[in-house]
Amino acid sequence: MSTRNKQEAICDFPLHSLNEIVFSRNHDLIQENANMDGSSPMGQMSKISSEVSKFYAKQMMLSEEITKAIDDNFIYPHDLDFMVTGTTTCCQIPLGEVLKGGFNTGHGFMREPNDISSAMALAAIIFQSNQNMQHGGQSYPMFDYDLAPYIDKTFQKNINRLKSYSTCYTEEELEALAWKETNRDVYQACEAFIHNCNSMHSRGGGQVPFVSINYGTDTSKAGRLLVKNMLLATKAGLGKGETPIFPIQIFKMKKGINFEPGEPNYDLYQLALETTAKRLFPNFSFIDSTFNCPYYDGTPESEIAYMGCRTRVMANRHGDENSIRRGNLSFTSINLVKIALIAKDECDYFNILDHYINLVIKQLLERFDFQAKKQAKHFPFLYGQHIWKDSENLKPDDEVGEVLKHGTLSVGFIGLAEALVALTGKHHGESKESYQLGYRIVQHMRAKVDEASEKYNLNFSLIATPAEGLSGKFTRNDQKEFGKIPGVTDRSYYTNSFHIPVYYKIKAIDKIKIEGSFHKLCNGGHITYIECDGDVSKNIHALDRLVKAMAQYDIGYGAINHPVDQCGVCGYSGIIDNECPICHNSDENKIGRIRRITGYLVGDMKRWNSAKRAEESERVKHQ
C-alpha cells in the first residue's frame, strides 16, 4: 500500500468500536486485560487509545502481507497498540544496583536508603516508574539478595540505639533484642510493600503495575528474614484479609539450598507451601531443570528468574547469559488451530506453519527496527536510570538499538491441543501418537526460531503464549469460518500453548509429565498449572509432592491452583460455595473469588472476558 493510500485508509477507522467502549457495550473488548478496569474513566481512555493505536499500526507500520495474516486470523502481535510508542515488553530490574546508586523519577533524586523500610518503599516506586516505560511487566530477579544489605543496616541502627539506652545487657542479649526489633521492622516493610503493589497505579491511573519478585535462595540471616516476612505478610493478606494480587511471587527451588530437610532454607520452602495453600502465591521455579541449570555458576545473578505470567530471558548472543537488566522486546503468536483446519495432511501442516513462522519473524524484525530507532531520552527511567543492560553508555539523543539486542524477540503459539484434535482426532493428553506429533510441532517451531537467531544475530525465542484476550479472539473468528467443530472450535476459547485442555480429566502426575517435556523447547517462557480441590492448607504434604514432581519431570516454572474465596460481609477467607459458612451471605457481588487467569491473580471475575470465564468454569481438578 502506498503512503498516500495508507493515509487515506486512516479515515476508515471503525467508529462503532469506540462507541462500544464509550457506552461499555462490549465487555470482552473493554476487559481484554483483567488487570485493568476497562469501564473506569482512565480504563476507557486507555482502551480508546489502544483501539486507535492498533488501527494506526496496522495501516501505517506493518507490511501488507503481515496485516493480511492478522486479518485472516493466523497471527496476533501482542500489545500491537504499543507498537506506535516503541516500547518493549518487560525487564528484570537490578534492584540492588538502583538502590545503591540512587535514582531520579523525573521529579527529584532519591538517595540510597538507610533501612529496610525506606528500601522497600523505594522498591515499589521503582516498579511504578519503570511500568510507565514498558507495555509488559516488571520484576526483581534477586529480591532477597538485593534487599538483605538494608536489613543489615536496620539491625545496626537498632543495636546502636539499644546500646545508647542501656548498659545492663550483654552483647549477646543486645544482638538478640536488636534482631527481634529488626524482624518486626522487616515484617512491617514487607506489609507496606505488598499494600503499595496492590494500591499504587501506573499508566495514567488505569491499572496497578504488573510486578513480580523472585526469591528463596539467599541463605544469609538478613536474606532469610526478608523471605520469611514476605511470606508471612502475604499469608496475612491485605487490610481486611484480602488475598494480594501483586506482586506475583516466585520461589526459586535449588537442591542443596531449600529442596530437602536439613538444607538451610528448607524451612522457608515449607512456609512457601503454607502460603501458596492460602494465597496461591508463591509460584515455583526450578534452577536445577535441565535447561536452567547450565546457566547456574553458583552466583545469584546466574539463577533463573521468571516474569509473572511465564516470560523467561536467559540466553544472550550479545553479552552475559542471565536475566539481569534484560527482558522481552515483543512477541507474536501463531494460531495453530486454523493451520490444522486448512491443512490437507501432516506434511501440508508443517509447510503452512513454516510460512507463518517466517511471517512472524519478519513482523518481529519490523517492530524491532522501529524500537531500535527510538532515542534514550524517550524512555528517561528505563535508560536514563540505567535499568536496561548497557544503557549507562547511552547519551540522551542516542538510538537504543545496540542495547536492545540484549532483549528477546519471541514467537508464541496457542491451541496445540485443538490443532491435534483437528489433525488426529485426539489431543496430546489422550493419545501417545498425538503427543508425539504435538512434540514434533513445538520442536519444529523451536528449531525455526533458533535458525532466526543465527541468521539475524538476535535473541529469538519460542514462548508458550499466555493467552488472555487472544484465547477467545482466535476462536470467535475461526467459528465464523468453520462453524463449531467438536473438540476443536466448539468452545469459546482455545487452550493456552502446549497445555492439556483444562476440561480433560487427567492425573496431576500425568499432566506434569506431559507438559514438562515441552518446557525445554519453550525457551522464551513456559508454565504448568495443577488444579487442586478443597482446602489444600490441610494437606501441605500433597503440595510438596506436586512441587517435587515438577522438579522431577523437568518443569521450569509451575503453579498450584485452588479455590480462594472471601466474604465481603464478614471477611471469612476459605472456600465459599453458595453462601458464606460464617455469616451466610449469599450475595455473589459480595463474595470475592480469587482465581489465576494466566499467570497472575484477579480478585473480581467480573473483569474477566467471556472466554476466560468459560475456561475457568470448565477447569477440572487433578488428583
Side-chain angles (χ1 to χ4, degrees), residues 4 32 34 72 92 112 116 121 151 238 346 367 390 423 538 576 623:
R4 175 179 170 79
E32 283 187 321
D72 289 345
Q92 293 279 3
E112 181 178 1
I116 188 61
I151 295 176
L238 299 175
E346 185 179 311
R367 188 166 185 169
D390 287 345
L423 291 168
K538 294 182 170 63
I576 301 176
Q623 304 298 321

Side-chain angles (χ1 to χ4, degrees), residues 345-361:
D345 51 36
E346 185 179 311
C347 181
D348 192 38
Y349 182 88
F350 279 93
N351 288 334
I352 299 171
L353 178 61
D354 278 351
H355 171 73
Y356 286 105
I357 294 173
N358 291 335
L359 262 189
V360 167
I361 290 169

Side-chain angles (χ1 to χ4, degrees), residues 374-390:
K374 300 297 284 189
Q375 295 174 312
K377 65 184 178 185
H378 296 146
F379 305 89
F381 196 81
L382 180 64
Y383 301 122
Q385 300 306 303
H386 310 155
I387 306 297
W388 191 267
K389 190 171 181 64
D390 287 345

Side-chain angles (χ1 to χ4, degrees), residues 309-310 336 413-420 427-429 442 464-467 493-504 506 511 514-516 518-519 522 525-531 555 557-559 561 596-599 612 615 619 622:
C309 273
R310 66 203 64 199
L336 296 185
F413 62 97
I414 186 174
L416 179 66
E418 290 80 8
L420 291 171
H427 60 71
H428 52 312
V442 179
T465 294
Y493 60 90
Y494 285 152
T495 300
N496 274 12
S497 59
F498 55 71
H499 290 177
I500 303 296
V502 298
Y503 52 81
Y504 182 69
I506 186 172
K511 185 175 192 292
I514 293 171
E515 292 189 5
F518 290 96
H519 279 230
C522 298
H526 41 246
I527 195 169
T528 283
Y529 307 111
I530 294 298
E531 298 283 340
I555 295 289
Y557 181 37
N561 295 341
R596 199 185 310 270
I597 187 166
T598 52
K612 294 307 289 186
E615 186 242 77
R619 295 176 185 175
H622 304 121

Side-chain angles (χ1 to χ4, degrees), residues 16 27 78 86 114 154 157 164 184 218 235 274 324 365 373-374 384 388 416 420 445-446 452 539 543 545 553 597 623:
H16 70 274
H27 181 80
H78 293 265
N114 288 316
T154 303
K157 286 174 68 175
S164 70
R184 180 201 61 199
D218 186 348
K235 194 175 177 183
E274 294 173 16
I324 313 300
L365 287 169
K373 289 180 174 62
K374 300 297 284 189
W388 191 267
L416 179 66
L420 291 171
M445 295 181 74
R446 170 61 186 276
N539 195 353
L543 297 186
R545 287 168 56 195
Y553 292 105
I597 187 166
Q623 304 298 321

Side-chain angles (χ1 to χ4, degrees), residues 30 56 59 102 112 149 158 206 218 233 254 352 362 367 382 396 419 438 444 461-462 530 559 573 605 612:
I30 65 176
Y56 181 91
Q59 296 297 329
E112 181 178 1
N158 284 333
D218 186 348
K254 179 73 183 77
I352 299 171
K362 179 181 178 181
R367 188 166 185 169
L382 180 64
H444 181 80
S461 62
L462 182 67
I530 294 298
S573 181
M605 288 179 60
K612 294 307 289 186

Side-chain angles (χ1 to χ4, degrees), residues 26-38 245 280 467-469 471 476 493 502 529 531 561-562 564 593-619:
N26 187 334
H27 181 80
D28 287 346
L29 177 62
I30 65 176
Q31 289 301 158
E32 283 187 321
N33 181 352
N35 186 35
M36 177 180 288
D37 183 358
I245 304 303
L280 289 165
E468 186 179 333
S471 176
R476 285 191 300 272
Y493 60 90
V502 298
Y529 307 111
E531 298 283 340
N561 295 341
H562 54 88
V564 175
R593 300 191 184 278
I594 303 290
R595 300 293 185 271
R596 199 185 310 270
I597 187 166
T598 52
Y600 67 101
L601 307 182
V602 178
D604 183 356
M605 288 179 60
K606 292 188 290 294
R607 289 192 181 184
W608 291 32
N609 62 63
S610 60
K612 294 307 289 186
R613 286 203 303 271
E615 186 242 77
E616 192 278 336
S617 70
E618 293 187 347
R619 295 176 185 175

Side-chain angles (χ1 to χ4, degrees), residues 558-569:
I560 299 168
N561 295 341
H562 54 88
V564 175
D565 304 325
Q566 182 164 22
C567 177
V569 176

